[in-house]
Amino acid sequence: MADGIGHRPRGFGRMLQATVWSCQGLRAAWLHESSFRLEVYLLVLLAPLALWLGDDGVERALLLGSCLLVLAVELLNSAIEAVIERYGAEFHELAGRAKDMGSAAVFVTMVNVLLVWGLILLPRWW
């Protein structure tokens, strides 16, 4: 039963349902987005390196977190693309701009991975 504003109660059942929806989203991304699959493969490769190369918890969190951020932004980019495709495949300037900006967001997070890994690891080898 919803409250006066329309919010449903937030209990364990609601958290469980949100987890199910999240898993469905991850599955859909895996099945339909080749970029997402590639980034997961890179995470599988880089995650053990992040845990091994990080000197302490902060470094490990930064190395691993920067990679996870790419996945999160890729999911958002894929969601933007799916909504745009839902409304039609014909070209529209705003749709193209939204897709380009989503792609740029993924690119920026990948640059962030390079910067974080470089700033943490390069000083050790100089």
Side-chain angles (χ1 to χ4, degrees):
M1 172 182 271
D3 63 12
I5 304 172
H7 295 108
R8 294 178 58 197
R10 308 248 188 248
F12 179 74
R14 181 82 168 152
M15 288 176 21
L16 183 60
Q17 184 61 55
T19 302
V20 169
W21 291 327
S22 296
C23 290
Q24 289 173 350
L26 288 169
R27 184 176 188 274
W30 179 263
L31 292 175
H32 302 287
E33 299 295 332
S34 60
S35 297
F36 181 78
R37 286 190 300 272
L38 177 61
E39 291 155 358
V40 169
Y41 294 142
L42 289 172
L43 178 66
V44 168
L45 178 74
L46 293 176
L49 282 174
L51 297 174
W52 180 55
L53 294 173
D55 278 344
D56 57 19
V58 172
E59 285 189 358
R60 290 182 188 112
L62 287 169
L63 293 170
L64 188 56
S66 65
C67 296
L68 289 171
L69 184 61
V70 172
L71 289 180
V73 174
E74 182 64 49
L75 288 166
L76 293 172
N77 182 43
S78 296
I80 291 168
E81 290 178 352
V83 169
I84 290 170
E85 291 301 318
R86 160 67 175 88
Y87 286 101
E90 73 276 352
F91 176 78
H92 189 283
E93 181 184 348
L94 293 176
R97 192 182 314 163
K99 287 175 132 182
D100 290 347
M101 288 177 178
S103 179
V106 174
F107 177 76
V108 168
T109 58
M110 289 180 175
V111 170
N112 181 59
V113 170
L114 294 175
L115 286 172
V116 168
W117 283 68
L119 290 170
I120 290 174
L121 299 177
L122 284 179
R124 296 180 190 171
W125 296 318
W126 288 86

